[in-house]
Amino acid sequence: METLKDKAAIAGVGNTEYSRDSGRSEITLAAEAIRNAIADAGLKPSDIDGIAKFSMDNNDHVHLASNLGITRLRFFADAPWGGGGGPVGTVLLGAMAVATGMASCVVAFRAMNERSGRGTNRFGLAQVRQGAPGARAYSEPFGLFSPAQAVALSARRHMHLYGTKSEHFGAIAVACRTHAQTNPNAVMRGRPLTIEDHQSSRMISDPLRLHDCCLETDGGAAVVITSAERARDLKHKPVYIMAGAFGATDRNTQTMIKHLDQPQSESTVIAQDLFARAGVAHQDIDVCFIYDHFTPLVLMAFEELGFCRRGEGGPFVSDGKLLWPNGSLPFNTSGGNLSEGYIHGMQNTVEAVRQLRGQAINQVKDARIALVASGNAVPTTAMILHR
Amino acid sequence: MAAPSNFPVPIPDFDAEEFWAGCNRGELMMQRCAECKRFRWLPRSMCPFCNSLEREWIKASGRGKVYSYTIVTHPVHPAAVSRVPYNVVQVQLQEDPDLILVTNLVGIANDAIRIGMPVQAVFEELEPGVKLPKFKPA
């Protein structure tokens, strides 16, 4: 069977500053991040003929084309569930478009004013609406509104089934915060975090504490995808898309609520395809990026992606392996959604490329293969990259 | 729109009207396939097990167990401000392990809630004419 393996590569990455209030429009953030990614690739905007965006992004393809001066747009797509499924989903859409000749150079991006609310409503606040239609009818009338509250239910169930502790969740928050301390663009630089700080942070929705929840951030991040052949002629050494996978199950109908007693999840569906398509094993991964919206879902993603067995996520994340530089599986090395900035995970995709180029601030020595996973607990996506 | 003093009322889907009508009568009506007789939750059009479009509504016992729970302390909706801390609970009905409803427990202190505790459905008015299925310790 023909696969996507190494047919496409990421040739450019770019981002804006990450802040609590950008003071700029969302399309300004998108245009700047994309312009930076195109320049990083050594390309011109007129070389771009495809745009893949998050379905939740307020910027549309043609307005971006009109800002960037892209006169011949041959591919445009939205990553569904983007949202948390977007930071890899957009890249895979671009890779598939490039591999099939639908386009030659595609930008994938996310830009939002999620913290200041200039355009995007804060995800941590309920939108006040008249009535609860669809699946929301089975949650909002009971006071379940935010992703954190839904995740708390799954976190509690995991603790009950496996003896997982809040300190295990805290280890993930501490790893991200530690990595952010050397990153000048990280929102949480200069604010280190210990397990004790995590344990004394206020409860949001028991058992979820403040530091189990990601940031809310204004900013933009973008990558340029082109064919492997073309990428080899550009400015940087290509970062090849070795494999990608989409995953969901029929249990994803209530957003962010997991079904831990089921053998299948969105992330197990992905794991079944991803490693086989790439032709690598878990121990081949040099650095990993797991979408960190909420710490319990990171722990569960490690289990469901097959890095450890179900129920073993607590000890797995707590033994120091996730910490750069000495851990065996450095994770979210720029600080992630929890501490660099919440650009819906797209900043993790950018950092993965910098790691494989050898340009990262917290550079993993000799990093060759990276795994990037979009958000667990929603229909999601993941990819394996290599240099 | 003025800040609402209550959580939003459910807007019944076409495929779920009987569930909400049952709540207003004080009956927990669960959707079941009329062909293969398997329950499903959330209510939907087609049976995922046999693809039949024929469905029936079965009055459930209302008995179940706490599957998981959270105590919300940080209010994210205007109507939550005066209610925190409040519980949100998942209850697994005894009829089928796939029937796991998001609900609230009443008649119990938040710190006494435990996974596995037996509970029984009760119906509480959210606003006039709209009752919700809640649960109390059995």
Side-chain angles (χ1 to χ4, degrees), chain A residues 116-164:
Chain A
S116 66
R118 295 171 192 266
T120 295
N121 292 310
R122 291 176 64 177
F123 303 152
L125 291 179
Q127 286 183 55
V128 176
R129 294 176 280 218
Q130 211 88 49
R136 297 209 316 266
Y138 307 102
S139 55
E140 293 189 356
F142 305 94
L144 183 72
F145 295 96
S146 71
Q149 294 163 357
V151 172
L153 292 169
S154 304
R156 173 72 67 198
R157 183 75 186 166
H158 199 279
M159 294 165 97
H160 172 77
L161 289 173
Y162 304 118
T164 308

Side-chain angles (χ1 to χ4, degrees), chain A residues 20-77:
Chain A
R20 288 180 173 80
D21 185 354
S22 70
R24 304 192 286 164
S25 68
E26 292 185 322
I27 196 159
T28 304
L29 297 174
E32 181 181 305
I34 293 170
R35 189 187 65 187
N36 291 348
I38 295 170
D40 179 64
L43 291 166
K44 303 185 300 296
S46 56
D47 295 318
I48 303 298
D49 57 0
I51 298 177
K53 75 178 196 67
F54 284 50
S55 56
M56 286 174 73
D57 201 287
N58 291 325
N59 300 298
D60 73 49
H61 313 89
V62 292
H63 279 100
L64 277 168
S66 78
N67 277 271
L68 293 158
I70 298 169
T71 55
R72 189 163 166 263
L73 194 61
R74 300 197 297 161
F75 177 74
F76 31 91

Side-chain angles (χ1 to χ4, degrees), chain A residues 45-222:
Chain A
S46 56
D47 295 318
I48 303 298
D49 57 0
I51 298 177
K53 75 178 196 67
F54 284 50
S55 56
M56 286 174 73
D57 201 287
N58 291 325
N59 300 298
D60 73 49
H61 313 89
V62 292
H63 279 100
L64 277 168
S66 78
N67 277 271
L68 293 158
I70 298 169
T71 55
R72 189 163 166 263
L73 194 61
R74 300 197 297 161
F75 177 74
F76 31 91
D78 286 19
W81 292 94
V88 174
T90 50
V91 177
L92 295 181
L93 289 172
M96 289 189 281
V98 163
T100 54
M102 200 68 73
S104 63
C105 292
V106 178
V107 290
F109 77 96
R110 179 67 167 123
M112 60 179 174
N113 282 327
E114 199 268 333
R115 179 61 178 84
S116 66
R118 295 171 192 266
T120 295
N121 292 310
R122 291 176 64 177
F123 303 152
L125 291 179
Q127 286 183 55
V128 176
R129 294 176 280 218
Q130 211 88 49
R136 297 209 316 266
Y138 307 102
S139 55
E140 293 189 356
F142 305 94
L144 183 72
F145 295 96
S146 71
Q149 294 163 357
V151 172
L153 292 169
S154 304
R156 173 72 67 198
R157 183 75 186 166
H158 199 279
M159 294 165 97
H160 172 77
L161 289 173
Y162 304 118
T164 308
K165 295 182 169 17
S166 173
E167 289 85 347
H168 295 137
F169 304 145
I172 291 161
V174 169
C176 287
R177 187 63 64 87
T178 302
H179 297 157
Q181 296 315 303
T182 43
N183 177 0
N185 204 33
V187 172
M188 284 298 172
R189 189 182 191 189
R191 295 175 67 179
L193 184 81
T194 64
I195 284 283
E196 292 70 35
D197 296 332
H198 172 272
Q199 288 297 297
S200 61
S201 68
R202 69 188 164 91
M203 208 58 96
I204 297 296
S205 192
D206 189 2
L208 249 71
R209 297 180 175 279
L210 176 68
H211 292 306
D212 292 312
C213 306
C214 66
L215 305 173
E216 298 178 292
T217 307
D218 289 10

